[in-house]
Amino acid sequence: MTTPSAADSPNRQPYVQMEGTASGQGQVYQAAGNQTINHNYPSKPPPRQIVEGDIPQCPPGFQPRKQLLQRLTDLLDDALPGQGEQEYRRGGAVVICALGGTPGVGKTMLAASYAWACQAAHWPVVAWIAAETTDQILAGLAALAERLGERRADDDAAAAAARARAWLAATTRSALLVFDNAVDVALVRRWCPATGATRVVITTRNRAFLRACRPLDVSVFTPEQAAAFLHRRTGLTDPAGAADLAQELGYLPLALAQAAAMITRLHFGYDEYLHLLRNFPADDHLPAHDGDAYPAGTVEAILLSVTQAEAAMRFARQMLQVLSVLSPTGVPLPVLSALPDTDLEPVRLREILADLADTSLIALTEDGATVLMHRLVQRVLRDRAAHHGDLDAVIGQAIDLLSAFNATLPDGATTWAARASVEMLIEQTETVYRLACRKNGPPADLLTLRIWCGYYLRELADLGRAIPLLETTLAGCERVLGPDHPDTLASRHSLASAYEAAGDLGRAIPLNEATLADRERVLGPDHPDTLTSRHNLAYAYETAGNLDRAIPLHETALADCERVLGVDHPDTLTFRNNLASAYETAGDLGRAIPLFEATLADRERVLGPDHPNTLTSRNNLASAFASAGDLDRAILLYEATLADCERVLGPDHPNTLTFRNNLASAYETAGDLGRAIPLYEVTLADRERVLGVDHPDTLTSRNNLAYAYETAGNLDRAIPLYEATLADRERVLGPDHPDILTSRSNLAGAYESAEDLDRAILLYETTLADCERVLGPDHPDTLASRSNLAGAYRSAGDLSRAIPLYETALADRERVLGPDHPDILTSRNNLASAYRAAGDLGRAIPLYEATLADCERVLGPDHPTTRTVRGNLEDAVVGTVRRSGWGWRRLFRRRRRITG
């Protein structure tokens, strides 16, 4: 009945306690869960056809450029897509073609023509990716991965993009990938599939692409093409007038489209329009452009259309101005519906956009859900605004628009379903930010938007994007607003939270400390944001295992919150819950359970029995009962809470899945593996479906299922699951994240259970060294790792190394955790077992007796640890009796004294 040393680790059976948000800029929560995994599951088959991205609509009067399209097709080394899906048979490197040329010549429309042909030919995948920035490429490929069924919900954008690239490289069926407006050759090359049937088309103004890929130089229309376009679009039959106008506009497709649209709308003749064009006072609208002139006639053609539209259409000026500073890759309708001071109904918004599309100043995507404005049109409009001193105001309008859109995002904006809206906000915000940085610096409201974007990315576990964004935002806040501005402090707080989420406590804690000191100095000790900083610093100390600093700070934060906000304020209840959790972490269940009970009662009274935070309190109380060994009450409370959560939040809500996981853990602790394992399996399947296979909660489920398999003796299923979890965590989080150390310890424990002691000991030794380096010698996980290594030495029969290490681990735990912490009772039991294994019953039995007395006093007579120690003591006494010849009656009397 000796307790296996592997169970000594407090992280072997992790659970998640989720908590609500406190006031201020930070998230205040309890999370004691695990991380990130990827298995190479078979790819899901794609639907019959996937069309992803903002492919432009075919514009009115579209002029096909059949010769260019045929040249593009030839360069892609394939027949023109036509009569059905084609199978790729050649093998080898993927074919990449770059379309180059000056702005407005129709590079994008040529690529779109090829894309329309691929759609008509029913190619399985046609993807259109904006490629001006890294984030655009990652977001576009990640969205494609989602459509392919390859994206996993907690993949960051880079991981999801890599899955899409791998799928495109592996497919043997025809697929098209367009990178529109590419800038950086190396960047695009990195995200191109290397092999396979996918054809890649790149549109660009960077002529380096024409040297790196199969080139196709796109020039202006020929005179014949220009005249044909004008005739088709306007319906006029005046060859001489069309020729004159086309020559005046330099045969540029974009300028010709502007002219044709205005001629059609106002029923002009070519000569009338040409007269207006030649006499348009462009100097009144734009500054002179030395060495950076627009193509011939383009400015006049665009501004003629703009001024006519603004005079004729209500809201046209405001709409065009805002679109000129938003992303040229497209602005989705939900963003524009939040246009300030317009109160546009959806139907009216679509009417305005349809009218503007008729002018050729904007275009719509094929599905009509996204608005496109050509970069050249944007540039003209921005130059006009700058010339009149209005550009800052236009940028301010765009920021107001995005702030209004951000306010429409639901509380669950970081869920899988809301990811598209979050990416939408980030793309538009970053476009405005880049433009503002070329001016006088980003305004405060724009920096606030970026803080929100960083928060969303952090909550989506996309820390590779969140941390750099928040770092540059903090630098911008300090430069523009000053180091003591409340938004600067909020930015610092958000960055600290991102560091903490990444497991980088070495940067998170000092930044939290500095932020708290600054908030106390600037805002005062009682400001709600200061209270939040104090609480979150306490939580960071707790995460680092520094309970001596965490608990007093939690207590101070709670007392201040009760005094400032009142005892019934929701944030006060959050602080109270989290203090109780800190007590539980410290093993002080005598204070944790009553505080959990009081918090639950207060939440039921203040928030109501069905509020999510009330359900969380119920879950946390059940967890405390389980920690105290009162599994009957814990299981009943878990079951009731899960039923309420399914009824109130739904069966797929993340909290519901958490409570289901915790109920399975309680069944496991009670030894009911017949109910625990199926519930773990169901929860894991649900989390993979709802959250994705890489979400931290999914990884918690996978780790817990592996542990349950190990407990059931099914090591053939446990060990591969542990190994996969460790590999994925190392890939996603990096080698030193605390959760990777937990995974490594868990895998070592499974090897030990499988009697593969050479691998177990080597992995335990590595893990202990890493824990001491990363977490410090006194972190609870380091202490657990030390004890686990001692247990492996004991299992290998190396008591000369096991006993001194057990003694050191016990002394360290008593020094760090205090004499009555449950982990110390486990350490004493394990040291006594090592003494017993060494035949030193003179030290083993008194230590067992003292440990049993402490267990009964601290944990109660029926706690599982108490029962284990009692059984170990009885077994040790039986061994002594057999060697000493004691009578059974005397043994019986001794056992009655032990068991009480």
Side-chain angles (χ1 to χ4, degrees):
M1 292 189 59
T2 303
T3 304
S5 63
D8 193 32
S9 170
N11 295 308
R12 294 301 305 281
Q13 297 177 308
Y15 61 90
V16 177
Q17 293 177 309
M18 302 185 69
E19 187 49 70
T21 306
S23 61
Q25 296 294 324
Q27 188 79 0
V28 181
Y29 53 87
Q30 278 291 327
N34 273 334
Q35 288 67 52
T36 320
I37 189 166
N38 273 318
H39 285 306
N40 294 320
Y41 296 131
S43 299
K44 299 177 182 177
R48 176 60 182 162
Q49 185 177 55
I50 292 173
V51 179
E52 175 58 38
D54 294 327
I55 304 175
Q57 285 181 345
C58 184
F62 176 66
Q63 172 64 50
R65 306 178 78 172
K66 294 182 180 179
Q67 290 181 333
L68 276 177
L69 186 59
Q70 185 60 55
R71 286 176 59 193
L72 173 59
T73 302
D74 293 342
L75 286 168
L76 291 170
D77 196 21
D78 203 349
L80 179 66
Q83 302 302 316
E85 177 186 320
Q86 300 184 21
E87 189 78 13
Y88 183 77
R89 302 186 186 280
R90 296 190 310 276
V94 72
V95 180
I96 306 173
C97 183
L99 310 182
T102 57
V105 296
K107 302 181 294 295
T108 293
M109 293 314 299
L110 178 60
S113 298
Y114 191 83
W116 301 331
C118 293
Q119 287 178 258
H122 304 294
W123 282 22
V125 174
V126 177
W128 188 278
I129 307 294
E132 192 170 0
T133 67
T134 301
D135 278 356
Q136 288 174 352
I137 293 175
L138 295 182
L141 286 172
L144 176 60
E146 180 179 345
R147 294 289 305 281
L148 291 167
E150 294 291 308
R151 182 167 191 167
R152 298 166 184 185
D154 203 50
D155 273 350
D156 62 14
R163 296 187 198 283
R165 179 187 57 193
W167 189 96
L168 292 168
T171 185
T172 59
R173 303 161 74 195
S174 297
L176 174 66
L177 176 62
V178 177
F179 288 104
D180 187 37
N181 197 49
V183 174
D184 186 324
V185 175
L187 173 63
V188 174
R189 274 288 193 183
R190 176 186 174 192
W191 290 106
C192 280
T195 60
T198 300
R199 283 67 149 187
V200 179
V201 175
I202 299 168
T203 72
T204 183
R205 285 178 284 173
N206 180 359
R207 300 194 67 80
F209 279 96
L210 303 185
R211 297 187 292 273
C213 311
R214 298 187 181 189
L216 179 56
D217 222 334
V218 182
S219 60
V220 297
F221 282 156
T222 65
E224 293 76 18
Q225 288 172 333
F229 170 74
L230 288 172
H231 292 327
R232 182 181 295 106
R233 180 72 172 90
T234 66
L236 298 176
T237 55
D238 178 4
D244 288 345
L245 178 57
Q247 185 177 20
E248 185 75 17
L249 294 175
Y251 307 105
L252 187 73
L254 175 67
L256 289 165
Q258 301 296 318
M262 188 169 178
I263 289 169
T264 302
R265 286 176 61 84
L266 299 184
H267 305 288
F268 283 157
Y270 291 133
D271 56 343
E272 292 176 280
Y273 181 84
L274 191 55
H275 176 75
L276 287 174
L277 183 71
R278 288 171 173 169
N279 290 279
F280 187 84
D283 291 345
D284 292 346
H285 297 269
L286 294 179
H289 286 267
D290 295 332
D292 190 22
Y294 289 98
T298 302
V299 166
E300 291 81 1
I302 291 173
L303 286 175
L304 268 174
S305 296
V306 168
T307 54
Q308 189 275 327
E310 291 176 344
M313 304 174 198
R314 189 182 176 204
F315 300 129
R317 182 179 181 86
Q318 189 174 1
M319 185 70 71
L320 291 171
Q321 285 179 326
V322 167
L323 286 170
S324 74
V325 296
L326 293 176
S327 175
T329 64
V331 183
L333 294 187
V335 174
L336 292 175
S337 64
L339 196 67
D341 304 321
T342 58
D343 196 24
L344 291 175
E345 296 293 332
V347 173
R348 180 63 182 133
L349 173 63
R350 287 183 177 271
E351 289 174 351
I352 293 170
L353 295 175
D355 288 341
L356 287 174
D358 285 344
T359 69
S360 290
L361 290 168
I362 67 169
L364 298 173
T365 53
E366 288 188 310
D367 59 4
T370 302
V371 182
L372 305 170
M373 178 179 278
H374 196 282
R375 289 170 175 80
L376 201 52
V377 177
Q378 286 187 310
R379 179 179 154 199
V380 169
L381 288 169
R382 290 198 301 267
D383 284 349
R384 183 185 70 160
H387 184 61
H388 292 298
D390 295 335
L391 185 55
D392 286 340
V394 173
I395 290 173
Q397 284 182 316
I399 295 170
D400 290 344
L401 171 69
L402 297 178
S403 298
F405 175 68
N406 183 44
T408 68
L409 297 183
D411 290 341
T414 55
T415 63
W416 175 252
R419 186 189 294 268
S421 296
V422 169
E423 290 290 359
M424 196 184 301
L425 176 67
I426 292 169
E427 165 66 18
Q428 303 302 326
T429 299
E430 290 305 280
T431 299
V432 178
Y433 179 76
R434 287 191 295 271
L435 180 60
C437 285
R438 293 201 293 266
K439 294 282 295 170
N440 301 323
D445 289 349
L446 183 55
L447 293 168
T448 299
L449 268 175
R450 289 193 101 223
I451 295 172
W452 274 105
C453 291
Y455 163 76
Y456 292 138
L457 286 171
R458 187 195 78 204
E459 291 299 293
L460 288 167
D462 199 344
L463 298 172
R465 293 166 70 197
I467 289 175
L469 186 148
L470 288 169
E471 287 174 336
T472 58
T473 302
L474 175 57
C477 286
E478 290 176 334
R479 183 178 67 255
V480 173
L481 305 175
D484 290 342
H485 191 281
D487 287 352
T488 303
L489 302 179
S491 180
R492 199 173 292 143
H493 178 96
S494 294
L495 178 57
S497 297
Y499 286 149
E500 186 174 341
D504 190 350
L505 295 173
R507 287 198 288 180
I509 288 176
L511 197 54
N512 269 324
E513 291 171 333
T515 304
L516 173 58
D518 289 340
R519 278 181 163 168
E520 288 177 331
R521 175 176 54 80
V522 174
L523 303 176
D526 291 341
H527 190 280
D529 289 354
T530 306
L531 301 179
T532 296
S533 271
R534 196 170 293 136
H535 176 275
N536 286 1
L537 176 59
Y539 180 74
Y541 286 150
E542 183 182 344
T543 303
N546 193 341
L547 295 174
D548 287 343
R549 300 179 77 180
I551 288 176
L553 195 54
H554 271 306
E555 292 170 335
T556 299
L558 174 58
D560 290 341
C561 203
E562 289 176 334
R563 175 175 54 79
V564 174
L565 300 178
V567 294
D568 288 341
H569 191 280
D571 292 351
T572 303
L573 301 178
T574 294
F575 284 26
R576 195 173 294 141
N577 172 85
N578 291 350
L579 173 59
S581 294
Y583 288 151
E584 183 182 358
T585 301
D588 190 349
L589 297 173
R591 287 199 289 181
I593 290 176
L595 193 54
F596 273 135
E597 290 173 329
T599 305
L600 173 58
D602 288 339
R603 278 181 162 166
E604 288 177 332
R605 174 177 54 80
V606 174
L607 304 176
D610 289 341
H611 191 279
N613 286 358
T614 304
L615 299 177
T616 296
S617 270
R618 213 169 281 145
N619 169 80
N620 291 353
L621 177 58
S623 166
F625 286 150
S627 296
D630 193 346
L631 292 172
D632 290 340
R633 276 209 293 178
I635 288 172
L636 285 175
L637 190 53
Y638 272 137
E639 289 173 336
T641 304
L642 175 59
D644 289 340
C645 203
E646 289 175 332
R647 173 179 55 82
V648 174
L649 302 177
D652 288 342
H653 191 278
N655 284 16
T656 303
L657 301 178
T658 294
F659 296 170
R660 197 174 293 142
N661 171 81
N662 292 353
L663 175 58
S665 179
Y667 287 151
E668 180 185 356
T669 303
D672 191 349
L673 294 175
R675 286 201 288 179
I677 289 176
L679 192 55
Y680 273 138
E681 291 172 333
V682 168
T683 305
L684 174 57
D686 288 342
R687 278 179 162 167
E688 288 179 332
R689 173 177 55 82
V690 174
L691 304 175
V693 295
D694 280 349
H695 192 279
D697 291 354
T698 305
L699 296 168
T700 296
S701 279
R702 193 168 287 125
N703 177 81
N704 290 354
L705 177 58
Y707 185 80
Y709 287 152
E710 181 185 350
T711 303
N714 192 343
L715 295 173
D716 289 341
R717 300 179 78 180
I719 289 176
L721 199 52
Y722 276 137
E723 290 173 333
T725 303
L726 174 59
D728 289 331
R729 284 177 170 170
E730 289 176 334
R731 173 181 57 79
V732 173
L733 301 174
D736 288 341
H737 193 283
D739 294 324
I740 290 172
L741 304 179
T742 295
S743 265
R744 214 171 278 149
S745 178
N746 290 349
L747 177 58
Y751 288 152
E752 184 180 356
S753 297
E755 299 183 358
D756 188 349
L757 294 174
D758 288 341
R759 280 208 290 179
I761 288 173
L762 182 61
L763 193 52
Y764 273 137
E765 289 173 336
T766 301
T767 304
L768 175 57
D770 289 341
C771 281
E772 290 175 333
R773 175 176 55 81
V774 174
L775 303 175
D778 290 341
H779 191 281
D781 288 356
T782 305
L783 303 179
S785 184
R786 198 169 290 138
S787 182
N788 289 347
L789 175 58
Y793 287 150
R794 188 189 68 192
S795 297
D798 190 350
L799 294 173
S800 63
R801 286 202 288 179
I803 289 175
L805 195 54
Y806 269 138
E807 291 171 335
T808 299
L810 174 58
D812 289 341
R813 276 181 162 166
E814 288 177 332
R815 174 177 54 80
V816 173
L817 302 177
D820 290 339
H821 193 282
D823 289 351
I824 290 171
L825 303 177
T826 299
S827 271
R828 282 191 200 133
N829 171 78
N830 289 349
L831 176 58
S833 296
Y835 288 152
R836 176 185 165 200
D840 191 350
L841 294 176
R843 286 201 288 179
I845 289 177
L847 187 54
Y848 274 137
E849 290 176 331
T851 304
L852 177 59
D854 288 338
C855 283
E856 291 176 332
R857 175 177 55 81
V858 174
L859 303 176
D862 294 326
H863 192 279
T865 301
T866 305
R867 292 199 298 268
T868 296
V869 175
R870 186 180 296 122
N872 289 346
L873 175 56
E874 291 175 355
D875 289 346
V877 171
V878 167
T880 302
V881 168
R882 286 175 177 165
R883 282 191 292 275
S884 65
W886 282 6
W888 285 106
R889 183 173 300 174
R890 187 175 177 186
L891 171 62
F892 179 74
R893 286 199 301 270
R894 184 179 179 92
R895 289 180 67 184
R896 286 191 61 187
R897 181 176 63 81
I898 291 170
T899 59

